[in-house]
Amino acid sequence: MKTFEFQHAVTVDGAICSVLDSGGAFLAGGTNLVDLMKNGVAQPPALVDIRHLGLTSVTATASGGVRIGAGVSNSALANHPLIRTQYPVLSQAILSGATTQLRNMATVGGNLLQRTRCPYFMQIEFDQCNKRVPGSGCAALEGFNREHALFGASEHCVAINPSDMAVALTILDAVVCTQGPDGVRQIPIAQFHTLPGDAPQHENCLLPAELIVAVELPPSPYASHSWYLKLRDRRSYAFALVSAAVGVEVVDDVIASASVALGGVAAKPWRVPAAEQILVGSRPDDSVLRAAAQRAMADARPLSQNAFKVQLGRGAVHRALARALELTR
């Protein structure tokens, strides 16, 4: 690890100015950033500690939603009464990821910004990684790509976003609240993460020195019928091969609204409106759920080693919908 300057911020404005002036990075839980620094993947000249900015509250909003401070730990969020009762799918997603010790340290803002776990990115011994060294190539295209993208990839990068939390936030239509040198922004979660295109080094829409200060959730119709299902090689501390977050609103035994998103299949949580359209207006029976699951994976473009994830995805969506609707235990 290279030497760096360390600063303690006492205000949000001060933290932003420090990162802007130093070209450094914000540090909260550090569960991802510090690993990247140890491996030489990230080498910020300065770290600005934002743990004491008061961004650690979870509060009800006037509209009936919830505002979550970016510094709230994953453990605190997953176990908060407002989240467990109004947004249980978010609690399920968080608890499916990492160990308790890591969840105690990791923060909401940091979770949204965690980098891909592609081995060619995570290990500097590999020369070809457009995400780490733009223009160097993508070794995963012809190399190990068992865990990589089925949707939204490009000839420059096939890596995936590893967050469980972000997949649940996607079906809840979360809004990422930021503050930066140019003021504040409200960014819909669907627009926050970016696909690789020809610039895979950019993974989100944040501007230089822009800080996530909160995530806001609107009122949800899915408190009674939602589920997060994660499929992985081992149950203990493994990233998703495929995951599915679903929410269904049932009125008079008809699906009135639905939300479906996949994780582990793209560089961002992958919302599937076509699958949602199959569900809405239908009675919640198994044939409809299977049709939605089939449609969710219809546009998948598997690589040389990950075609098996297409079937996993169908199964994940079907099982998650069945659990959400209590058609199966």
Side-chain angles (χ1 to χ4, degrees):
M1 183 186 294
K2 290 191 175 182
T3 58
F4 56 88
E5 183 181 356
F6 190 78
Q7 303 175 23
H8 292 282
V10 294
T11 66
V12 170
D13 287 336
I16 293 168
C17 288
S18 294
V19 167
L20 189 64
D21 292 343
S22 67
F26 299 112
L27 176 71
T31 55
N32 185 204
L33 177 58
V34 172
D35 280 346
L36 295 174
M37 293 174 66
K38 288 178 178 178
N39 292 339
V41 178
Q43 299 179 358
L47 292 181
V48 179
D49 180 5
I50 59 171
R51 291 174 294 176
H52 306 290
L53 301 185
L55 304 177
T56 56
S57 61
V58 179
T59 56
T61 62
S63 66
V66 173
R67 181 179 173 90
I68 305 161
V72 175
S73 74
N74 285 185
S75 289
L77 184 62
N79 291 297
H80 195 282
L82 286 174
I83 302 303
R84 293 178 69 89
T85 56
Q86 296 183 39
Y87 310 94
V89 67
L90 179 55
S91 180
Q92 293 163 8
I94 293 170
L95 292 175
S96 75
T99 62
T100 301
Q101 293 87 342
L102 285 173
R103 292 198 300 266
N104 289 343
M105 290 293 295
T107 63
V108 170
N111 190 299
L112 286 173
L113 296 176
Q114 62 180 307
R115 309 294 302 275
T116 182
R117 263 50 179 197
C118 173
Y120 301 105
F121 170 76
M122 292 294 290
Q123 300 180 58
I124 61 173
E125 292 78 13
F126 293 107
D127 294 330
Q128 287 184 293
C129 177
N130 286 321
K131 189 177 289 292
R132 180 163 38 80
V133 184
S136 63
C138 176
L141 282 171
E142 302 298 331
F144 177 76
N145 55 40
R146 178 178 180 269
E147 301 172 355
H148 289 62
L150 298 173
F151 302 96
S154 77
E155 62 181 344
H156 302 287
C157 184
V158 293
I160 60 168
N161 183 295
S163 174
D164 295 294
M165 183 189 78
V167 184
L169 290 177
T170 296
I171 70 160
L172 297 172
D173 293 319
V175 175
V176 182
C177 306
T178 68
Q179 184 173 333
D182 297 324
V184 300
R185 289 201 293 165
Q186 308 264 324
I187 307 168
I189 188 71
Q191 301 172 17
F192 182 78
H193 296 101
T194 57
L195 295 177
D198 58 3
Q201 69 273 23
H202 302 302
E203 298 175 348
N204 56 67
C205 67
L206 288 182
L207 302 173
E210 191 171 17
L211 174 66
I212 299 174
V213 295
V215 172
E216 290 194 356
L217 299 177
S220 174
Y222 305 133
S224 299
H225 299 292
S226 63
W227 198 259
Y228 184 77
L229 180 65
K230 180 176 181 177
L231 303 180
R232 44 191 163 176
D233 283 322
R234 64 183 190 278
R235 186 171 180 82
S236 176
Y237 189 29
F239 296 101
L241 291 169
V242 177
S243 66
V246 303
V248 183
E249 179 187 17
V250 180
V251 178
D252 296 330
D253 203 30
V254 172
I255 299 173
S257 65
S259 190
V260 179
L262 293 158
V265 297
K268 61 186 292 182
W270 196 254
R271 185 82 176 258
V272 197
E276 297 167 3
Q277 291 169 8
I278 289 175
L279 294 167
V280 174
S282 301
R283 297 179 71 85
D285 61 48
D286 191 65
S287 63
V288 171
L289 307 193
R290 290 187 182 278
Q294 185 76 19
R295 185 63 188 86
M297 304 305 296
D299 297 327
R301 296 294 180 266
L303 302 167
S304 60
Q305 299 172 7
N306 70 354
F308 73 97
K309 290 176 64 171
V310 177
Q311 184 62 33
L312 280 186
R314 294 190 193 109
V317 173
H318 175 253
R319 286 173 55 194
L321 286 168
R323 283 299 299 266
L325 290 163
E326 300 175 339
L327 299 182
T328 181
R329 295 290 180 181

